[in-house]
Amino acid sequence: MMRTPILAGNWKMHKTSAEVRAFFKEFSQRTQSNWVRADIMFAVPYTLLAVAQEAADGMATIIAQNVHFEASGAYTGEISIDQLRDLGILGSLVGHSERRQYYGETDDTVAKKVTRLTDAGMLALACVGESRAERESNQTEAVVTRQIQSIFNAAKSIDRLVIAYEPVWAIGTGLTATDEQAQAVHKLIRGLAREHFGEGSAAKLRILYGGSAKPDNIAGLMQQPDIDGGLIGGASLKPIDFAAMIDNVTQ
Ligand code: 13P
């Protein structure tokens, strides 16, 4: 079963409107015909969703970095699914480790967001991953299993669900997981998907790796049988790097 790879940039709290326009101008000049072999996405700050959507001009799908699970209400500073849709935005990251670490995101709030997004026919790109302490105390499997079970239980449909495995110790540190370390966790996740949704759905589920993925290590990761793409932070900020990664994945 061939799964279409996904290369997704996560711009975190970077860029202004002018920088977004400049990015896509240069990005468009690097576009290759091979790129149709991958789904290209960018998760951008709320204030840049509209300008990115316009500047990307169909070259990439623009998604949010977070969304609230309630439809509306007294939640100052939050954004709803309908408000994303209003801009033509049809997906969001959910449960990125920075949201879990700094903003109190829990398995429970992640689950609610996955339910609402998948119920609304929106893409939920849900992130999981263990901390350095958890890896060093051999809890990687237990932690990822707990996070994934919660997401799978919450998903109304697996068709609009994508998983990103991002070991926290590899994010922004330059310490990429080895191909083997990443593959072992991706295999675990696909096994859990098989138990939960059955063989056919598990074979279709796309599982991305994230954590210091770069032009020079993406190809090795992509050769692993259960790695279907990347969620890229730092190396997605410059068109030259991100284009090189897409070239690697689509060759
Ligand atoms: P880096 O690629 O900068 O390590 O970030 C990974 C990440 O958190 C993507 O969501």
Side-chain angles (χ1 to χ4, degrees):
M1 138 91 48
M2 262 302 281
R3 293 179 287 269
T4 302
I6 297 178
L7 264 205
N10 174 9
W11 283 352
K12 306 191 179 182
M13 196 171 73
H14 292 287
K15 296 197 189 292
T16 60
S17 314
E19 287 165 352
V20 170
R21 290 190 202 284
F23 179 96
F24 282 110
K25 192 167 172 212
E26 188 183 337
F27 191 68
S28 70
Q29 287 156 3
R30 296 181 181 277
T31 304
Q32 304 287 329
S33 53
N34 282 349
W35 287 12
V36 294
R37 296 190 194 142
D39 289 338
I40 301 167
M41 299 182 191
F42 292 92
V44 311
Y46 289 135
T47 55
L48 300 174
L49 285 169
V51 66
Q53 182 94 313
E54 189 195 318
D57 194 24
M59 283 180 280
T61 302
I62 305 300
I63 62 172
Q65 297 177 358
N66 186 32
V67 68
H68 201 272
F69 49 80
E70 293 294 351
S72 64
Y75 301 103
T76 302
E78 292 291 325
I79 304 284
S80 72
I81 285 177
D82 277 353
Q83 289 168 332
L84 291 183
R85 263 217 244 256
D86 198 28
L87 290 178
I89 300 297
L90 299 177
S92 181
L93 296 185
V94 184
H96 189 279
S97 67
E98 287 149 19
R99 303 248 20 122
R100 294 181 190 251
Q101 266 182 287
Y102 309 138
Y103 304 102
E105 192 85 85
T106 62
D107 284 345
D108 187 45
T109 57
V110 170
K112 284 183 179 147
K113 293 174 185 191
V114 167
T115 298
R116 295 297 156 88
L117 283 166
T118 54
D119 201 26
M122 307 254 292
L123 175 77
L125 206 175
C127 309
V128 301
E130 80 288 358
S131 67
R132 177 192 291 269
E134 287 162 345
R135 174 159 286 263
E136 284 172 356
S137 56
N138 292 319
Q139 291 177 70
T140 300
E141 195 174 323
V143 168
V144 172
T145 299
R146 187 199 76 223
Q147 293 172 333
I148 285 286
Q149 296 284 26
S150 167
I151 290 166
F152 285 171
N153 284 331
K156 293 280 180 171
S157 146
I158 194 174
D159 296 338
R160 301 299 290 155
L161 181 66
V162 172
I163 299 293
Y165 167 57
E166 300 204 301
V168 178
W169 50 271
I171 295 178
T173 58
L175 290 174
T176 319
T178 64
D179 299 347
E180 294 72 25
Q181 281 174 325
Q183 165 58 23
V185 178
H186 283 235
K187 188 175 172 195
L188 166 74
I189 295 170
R190 199 173 307 285
L192 293 167
R194 199 172 292 121
E195 282 169 26
H196 204 96
F197 299 104
E199 181 65 47
S201 293
K204 281 192 239 162
L205 179 68
R206 289 179 290 178
I207 309 172
L208 316 184
Y209 169 79
S212 298
K214 300 182 211 61
D216 62 1
N217 60 26
I218 190 77
L221 289 160
M222 287 298 296
Q223 275 162 21
Q224 303 302 310
D226 291 299
I227 300 184
D228 307 310
L231 181 57
I232 324 294
S236 74
L237 293 170
K238 290 204 192 111
I240 187 170
D241 296 335
F242 200 61
M245 295 179 86
I246 301 170
D247 285 342
N248 256 315
V249 165
T250 55
Q251 263 162 22

PDB file of all heavy atoms in Angstrom, residues 10 12 96 98 166 170-173 210-213 231-235, ligand 1:
ATOM      1  N   ASN A  10       6.165  23.394  10.432  1.00  0.00           N
ATOM      2  CA  ASN A  10       5.539  24.024  11.598  1.00  0.00           C
ATOM      3  C   ASN A  10       6.331  25.290  11.875  1.00  0.00           C
ATOM      4  O   ASN A  10       7.460  25.226  12.338  1.00  0.00           O
ATOM      5  CB  ASN A  10       5.575  23.074  12.801  1.00  0.00           C
ATOM      6  CG  ASN A  10       5.060  23.737  14.067  1.00  0.00           C
ATOM      7  OD1 ASN A  10       4.524  24.848  14.020  1.00  0.00           O
ATOM      8  ND2 ASN A  10       5.215  23.066  15.196  1.00  0.00           N
ATOM      9  N   LYS A  12       5.740  27.535  14.039  1.00  0.00           N
ATOM     10  CA  LYS A  12       5.734  27.975  15.444  1.00  0.00           C
ATOM     11  C   LYS A  12       5.457  29.482  15.511  1.00  0.00           C
ATOM     12  O   LYS A  12       4.613  29.972  14.764  1.00  0.00           O
ATOM     13  CB  LYS A  12       7.042  27.550  16.119  1.00  0.00           C
ATOM     14  CG  LYS A  12       7.282  26.041  15.939  1.00  0.00           C
ATOM     15  CD  LYS A  12       8.374  25.445  16.765  1.00  0.00           C
ATOM     16  CE  LYS A  12       8.455  23.944  16.482  1.00  0.00           C
ATOM     17  NZ  LYS A  12       9.465  23.271  17.281  1.00  0.00           N
ATOM     18  N   HIS A  96       0.780  19.503  20.088  1.00  0.00           N
ATOM     19  CA  HIS A  96       2.230  19.643  19.926  1.00  0.00           C
ATOM     20  C   HIS A  96       2.879  19.679  21.311  1.00  0.00           C
ATOM     21  O   HIS A  96       2.302  20.229  22.256  1.00  0.00           O
ATOM     22  CB  HIS A  96       2.552  20.925  19.154  1.00  0.00           C
ATOM     23  CG  HIS A  96       3.993  21.004  18.765  1.00  0.00           C
ATOM     24  ND1 HIS A  96       4.969  21.412  19.651  1.00  0.00           N
ATOM     25  CD2 HIS A  96       4.636  20.675  17.622  1.00  0.00           C
ATOM     26  CE1 HIS A  96       6.153  21.339  19.045  1.00  0.00           C
ATOM     27  NE2 HIS A  96       5.971  20.898  17.811  1.00  0.00           N
ATOM     28  N   GLU A  98       5.082  21.428  22.590  1.00  0.00           N
ATOM     29  CA  GLU A  98       5.232  22.758  23.199  1.00  0.00           C
ATOM     30  C   GLU A  98       3.918  23.201  23.846  1.00  0.00           C
ATOM     31  O   GLU A  98       3.922  23.880  24.868  1.00  0.00           O
ATOM     32  CB  GLU A  98       5.736  23.763  22.147  1.00  0.00           C
ATOM     33  CG  GLU A  98       7.208  23.513  21.833  1.00  0.00           C
ATOM     34  CD  GLU A  98       7.635  23.844  20.418  1.00  0.00           C
ATOM     35  OE1 GLU A  98       6.935  24.588  19.718  1.00  0.00           O
ATOM     36  OE2 GLU A  98       8.702  23.317  20.003  1.00  0.00           O
ATOM     37  N   GLU A 166       6.972  12.968  17.589  1.00  0.00           N
ATOM     38  CA  GLU A 166       8.029  13.950  17.805  1.00  0.00           C
ATOM     39  C   GLU A 166       8.639  13.726  19.185  1.00  0.00           C
ATOM     40  O   GLU A 166       8.100  14.219  20.188  1.00  0.00           O
ATOM     41  CB  GLU A 166       7.458  15.375  17.736  1.00  0.00           C
ATOM     42  CG  GLU A 166       6.817  15.714  16.412  1.00  0.00           C
ATOM     43  CD  GLU A 166       6.811  17.223  16.171  1.00  0.00           C
ATOM     44  OE1 GLU A 166       6.231  17.971  16.979  1.00  0.00           O
ATOM     45  OE2 GLU A 166       7.418  17.640  15.178  1.00  0.00           O
ATOM     46  N   ALA A 170      14.302  15.550  20.772  1.00  0.00           N
ATOM     47  CA  ALA A 170      14.850  15.776  19.427  1.00  0.00           C
ATOM     48  C   ALA A 170      14.389  17.105  18.839  1.00  0.00           C
ATOM     49  O   ALA A 170      14.879  17.528  17.793  1.00  0.00           O
ATOM     50  CB  ALA A 170      14.445  14.628  18.503  1.00  0.00           C
ATOM     51  N   ILE A 171      13.438  17.780  19.500  1.00  0.00           N
ATOM     52  CA  ILE A 171      12.856  18.998  18.928  1.00  0.00           C
ATOM     53  C   ILE A 171      13.767  20.195  19.175  1.00  0.00           C
ATOM     54  O   ILE A 171      14.049  20.525  20.325  1.00  0.00           O
ATOM     55  CB  ILE A 171      11.460  19.266  19.516  1.00  0.00           C
ATOM     56  CG1 ILE A 171      10.489  18.149  19.099  1.00  0.00           C
ATOM     57  CG2 ILE A 171      10.945  20.630  19.054  1.00  0.00           C
ATOM     58  CD1 ILE A 171       9.102  18.292  19.665  1.00  0.00           C
ATOM     59  N   GLY A 172      14.228  20.786  18.087  1.00  0.00           N
ATOM     60  CA  GLY A 172      15.031  22.007  18.189  1.00  0.00           C
ATOM     61  C   GLY A 172      16.394  21.805  18.818  1.00  0.00           C
ATOM     62  O   GLY A 172      17.072  22.767  19.162  1.00  0.00           O
ATOM     63  N   THR A 173      16.817  20.556  18.973  1.00  0.00           N
ATOM     64  CA  THR A 173      18.070  20.271  19.682  1.00  0.00           C
ATOM     65  C   THR A 173      19.200  19.848  18.747  1.00  0.00           C
ATOM     66  O   THR A 173      20.347  19.775  19.179  1.00  0.00           O
ATOM     67  CB  THR A 173      17.863  19.114  20.680  1.00  0.00           C
ATOM     68  OG1 THR A 173      17.400  17.975  19.939  1.00  0.00           O
ATOM     69  CG2 THR A 173      16.853  19.478  21.750  1.00  0.00           C
ATOM     70  N   GLY A 210       8.990  13.967  13.532  1.00  0.00           N
ATOM     71  CA  GLY A 210       9.422  15.347  13.757  1.00  0.00           C
ATOM     72  C   GLY A 210      10.471  15.416  14.845  1.00  0.00           C
ATOM     73  O   GLY A 210      10.432  14.655  15.817  1.00  0.00           O
ATOM     74  N   GLY A 211      11.408  16.328  14.684  1.00  0.00           N
ATOM     75  CA  GLY A 211      12.471  16.516  15.682  1.00  0.00           C
ATOM     76  C   GLY A 211      13.807  16.604  14.989  1.00  0.00           C
ATOM     77  O   GLY A 211      14.408  15.587  14.664  1.00  0.00           O
ATOM     78  N   SER A 212      14.241  17.852  14.700  1.00  0.00           N
ATOM     79  CA  SER A 212      15.518  18.092  14.029  1.00  0.00           C
ATOM     80  C   SER A 212      15.639  17.339  12.701  1.00  0.00           C
ATOM     81  O   SER A 212      16.737  16.908  12.330  1.00  0.00           O
ATOM     82  CB  SER A 212      16.696  17.763  14.959  1.00  0.00           C
ATOM     83  OG  SER A 212      16.667  18.607  16.102  1.00  0.00           O
ATOM     84  N   ALA A 213      14.535  17.197  11.997  1.00  0.00           N
ATOM     85  CA  ALA A 213      14.600  16.646  10.633  1.00  0.00           C
ATOM     86  C   ALA A 213      15.142  17.748   9.724  1.00  0.00           C
ATOM     87  O   ALA A 213      14.782  18.922   9.870  1.00  0.00           O
ATOM     88  CB  ALA A 213      13.221  16.201  10.176  1.00  0.00           C
ATOM     89  N   LEU A 231       7.292  16.332  10.100  1.00  0.00           N
ATOM     90  CA  LEU A 231       6.784  17.595  10.638  1.00  0.00           C
ATOM     91  C   LEU A 231       8.028  18.393  11.029  1.00  0.00           C
ATOM     92  O   LEU A 231       8.770  17.994  11.928  1.00  0.00           O
ATOM     93  CB  LEU A 231       5.871  17.348  11.843  1.00  0.00           C
ATOM     94  CG  LEU A 231       5.246  18.595  12.489  1.00  0.00           C
ATOM     95  CD1 LEU A 231       4.447  19.420  11.485  1.00  0.00           C
ATOM     96  CD2 LEU A 231       4.317  18.190  13.643  1.00  0.00           C
ATOM     97  N   ILE A 232       8.241  19.469  10.300  1.00  0.00           N
ATOM     98  CA  ILE A 232       9.542  20.122  10.308  1.00  0.00           C
ATOM     99  C   ILE A 232       9.446  21.509  10.924  1.00  0.00           C
ATOM    100  O   ILE A 232       8.668  22.338  10.442  1.00  0.00           O
ATOM    101  CB  ILE A 232      10.058  20.304   8.847  1.00  0.00           C
ATOM    102  CG1 ILE A 232       9.675  19.122   7.934  1.00  0.00           C
ATOM    103  CG2 ILE A 232      11.544  20.601   8.820  1.00  0.00           C
ATOM    104  CD1 ILE A 232      10.321  17.827   8.279  1.00  0.00           C
ATOM    105  N   GLY A 233      10.256  21.775  11.931  1.00  0.00           N
ATOM    106  CA  GLY A 233      10.288  23.103  12.543  1.00  0.00           C
ATOM    107  C   GLY A 233      11.317  23.981  11.851  1.00  0.00           C
ATOM    108  O   GLY A 233      11.064  24.556  10.787  1.00  0.00           O
ATOM    109  N   GLY A 234      12.501  24.070  12.439  1.00  0.00           N
ATOM    110  CA  GLY A 234      13.541  24.989  11.961  1.00  0.00           C
ATOM    111  C   GLY A 234      13.808  24.922  10.467  1.00  0.00           C
ATOM    112  O   GLY A 234      13.938  25.962   9.804  1.00  0.00           O
ATOM    113  N   ALA A 235      13.879  23.715   9.923  1.00  0.00           N
ATOM    114  CA  ALA A 235      14.234  23.564   8.508  1.00  0.00           C
ATOM    115  C   ALA A 235      13.068  23.865   7.567  1.00  0.00           C
ATOM    116  O   ALA A 235      13.201  23.730   6.354  1.00  0.00           O
ATOM    117  CB  ALA A 235      14.784  22.159   8.241  1.00  0.00           C
TER     118      ALA A 235
HETATM  119  P1  13P B   1      12.539  21.132  14.763  1.00  0.00           P
HETATM  120  O1  13P B   1      12.445  20.567  13.372  1.00  0.00           O
HETATM  121  O2  13P B   1      12.971  22.566  14.790  1.00  0.00           O
HETATM  122  O3  13P B   1      13.320  20.240  15.674  1.00  0.00           O
HETATM  123  O4  13P B   1      11.034  21.153  15.342  1.00  0.00           O
HETATM  124  C1  13P B   1      10.272  20.005  15.242  1.00  0.00           C
HETATM  125  C2  13P B   1       8.876  20.338  15.614  1.00  0.00           C
HETATM  126  O5  13P B   1       8.560  20.599  16.762  1.00  0.00           O
HETATM  127  C3  13P B   1       7.877  20.380  14.549  1.00  0.00           C
HETATM  128  O6  13P B   1       6.587  20.430  15.069  1.00  0.00           O
END
